[in-house]
Amino acid sequence: MISVIVPTMWRYKPFYQFLEDMLSSPYVGEIFIIDNNPNEKPDLKIFNHPKITMHTFGKNIYVNPAWNYAVSKVKYDKICL
């Protein structure tokens, strides 16, 4: 299984489709999302999926700290950044 780590500012318009594609893969065990722009987070039902974990610090912590934090929290040894 793979842990997918995604820091986001919510600017990528096809993000919902990206999540659908990742969730449909039998190899993806979890998607760990770091919300770096909580004021722009869309209200999507997909965020309730059991494979999705969302974390926010309430502000932008930038990409490298987001990756470092998430790597220390994910479930699987195989990681996709």
Side-chain angles (χ1 to χ4, degrees), residues 15-73:
F15 189 69
Y16 177 81
Q17 184 60 52
F18 166 76
L19 290 177
E20 287 282 343
D21 293 343
M22 291 295 102
L23 291 170
S24 69
S25 170
Y27 304 107
V28 174
E30 69 176 324
I31 301 172
F32 196 99
I33 300 172
I34 302 291
D35 179 359
N36 271 335
N37 191 4
N39 293 331
E40 297 297 321
K41 178 185 170 202
D43 184 24
L44 302 175
K45 290 182 182 182
I46 197 167
F47 295 146
N48 296 322
H49 192 284
K51 286 187 178 181
I52 293 180
T53 301
M54 179 100 48
H55 189 85
T56 182
F57 291 92
K59 63 179 183 172
N60 185 0
I61 64 165
Y62 301 97
V63 71
N64 285 346
W67 283 332
N68 291 338
Y69 174 78
V71 164
S72 74
K73 299 296 183 187

